[in-house]
Amino acid sequence: MLIDLGNFTPGLSLAGGLIIGAAAAVLVLFNGRIAGISGILGGLLGLPRNDMAWRVAFLVGLVGAPVLASLLGKPATPDIQASWGEILVAGFLVGLGTRYASGCTSGHGVCGIARGSIRSLVATMTFMAAGFLTVLVQRHMIGG
């Protein structure tokens, strides 16, 4: 296994994880809501609309933070080695999995496990196993 030490940033990754955890804790403590992106976005699309402000603020922050970071420093330029068709199919499959799992990785992995939810633990282990299997097949069996 090769590690790209030029892009290996454990300190920044730890800081990002701590910020995500703190944000999830603040949201549940002060708003009683789970920081699951699929539920936050889904709540904007459904009724009632009495709790729209915090959902919009959360999503604006989610999109705005990397934009602000790129304005302040080196812009993030991910190297995605997939076609638009593959990206669209992958996005559809993630959305489908989110519906079947009754939540997304952020809701189950960050918030559900922290609350001691067995269902979230199983869902997160399933997400991770599917990701590991996908990398194994794509990189080592197909020859990507």
Side-chain angles (χ1 to χ4, degrees), residues 2-3 11 16 32 40 42 44 62 64 78 87-88 101 105 109 111 115-116 118 120-121 134 136-137 142:
L2 297 173
I3 295 176
I40 293 170
L44 282 177
L62 188 70
I87 291 170
L88 291 173
T105 52
C111 302
R115 290 187 344 261
I118 298 299
S120 289
L121 179 63
T134 300
L136 174 72
V137 169
I142 294 177

Side-chain angles (χ1 to χ4, degrees), residues 39-100:
I40 293 170
L41 182 59
L44 282 177
L45 305 175
L47 297 173
R49 299 192 182 262
N50 58 348
D51 63 348
M52 217 166 141
W54 75 268
R55 292 174 189 274
V56 169
F58 191 95
L59 294 171
V60 166
L62 188 70
V63 173
V67 171
L68 180 62
S70 71
L71 293 174
L72 296 175
K74 180 182 173 190
T77 53
D79 181 21
I80 301 173
Q81 298 176 357
S83 69
W84 278 106
E86 290 171 320
I87 291 170
L88 291 173
V89 168
F92 173 76
L93 291 173
V94 167
L96 189 64
T98 297
R99 293 296 291 174
Y100 280 122

